[in-house]
Amino acid sequence: MPQRPTWIATKCADSSVLIYDLEKATEGEDGGPIMTCEGHEDEGFGIAWDPRRAGRLLSGSNDGSLCVWDLLAPNASEKPIVKIGKAHDGGAVGAVSFCPRNDFSFASVGDDRRLRLWDLRASSKECVSSVEAHDDDGTCVAYPEFRDDE
């Protein structure tokens, strides 16, 4: 997490997302996860911390779903605050990325060869834009870095 660099998120083959605090591990504690986030039905590869909002984590799964957690919110839960069931037609979400310019937009790519843009403010949980961007599965997505003076 950019705002708390000792926190690391990992995705597991059992569909869970584990949160570790390296500071606790170096203080002699067992080094196990401090949180286990549940929401996906299958393993996956896409995972991203929000660069603007501390504690917000996004992940994608081979089950085609996207989950967003708010791990530092009051009454934070290990269940997602947003879950989008079939985010990509025909399979897995390959990668996810939060927009560095605002705290409500993110992108995903998947096995359906599509790049999709999402807005957390939308109540419909539908993507706001979708384009066929590849000839094969999408496996990586990243927004460009922005400086504050741009």
Side-chain angles (χ1 to χ4, degrees), residues 1-46:
M1 177 187 338
Q3 303 85 353
R4 194 176 285 184
T6 63
W7 280 32
I8 295 177
T10 65
K11 289 187 59 76
C12 303
D14 70 357
S15 78
S16 61
V17 175
L18 302 179
I19 310 300
Y20 292 89
D21 185 345
L22 294 181
E23 191 172 83
K24 292 187 181 224
T26 59
E27 291 172 355
E29 295 186 26
D30 69 2
I34 58 171
M35 289 184 200
T36 301
C37 300
E38 304 290 344
H40 296 296
E41 303 299 321
D42 198 355
E43 65 184 342
F45 300 97

Side-chain angles (χ1 to χ4, degrees), residues 20-82:
Y20 292 89
D21 185 345
L22 294 181
E23 191 172 83
K24 292 187 181 224
T26 59
E27 291 172 355
E29 295 186 26
D30 69 2
I34 58 171
M35 289 184 200
T36 301
C37 300
E38 304 290 344
H40 296 296
E41 303 299 321
D42 198 355
E43 65 184 342
F45 300 97
I47 193 166
W49 289 107
D50 189 329
R52 297 182 61 89
R53 184 172 291 191
R56 191 180 296 172
L57 181 67
L58 167 65
S59 68
S61 173
N62 288 351
D63 66 11
S65 69
L66 294 165
C67 288
V68 179
W69 290 271
D70 197 350
L71 303 175
L72 297 180
N75 304 316
S77 169
E78 295 175 346
K79 299 290 182 195
I81 59 169
V82 173

Side-chain angles (χ1 to χ4, degrees), residues 4 13 15 28 49 77 84 88-89 105 107 111-112 135:
R4 194 176 285 184
S15 78
W49 289 107
S77 169
I84 301 167
H88 284 269
D89 303 326
S105 299
D111 286 357
D112 60 357
D135 293 331

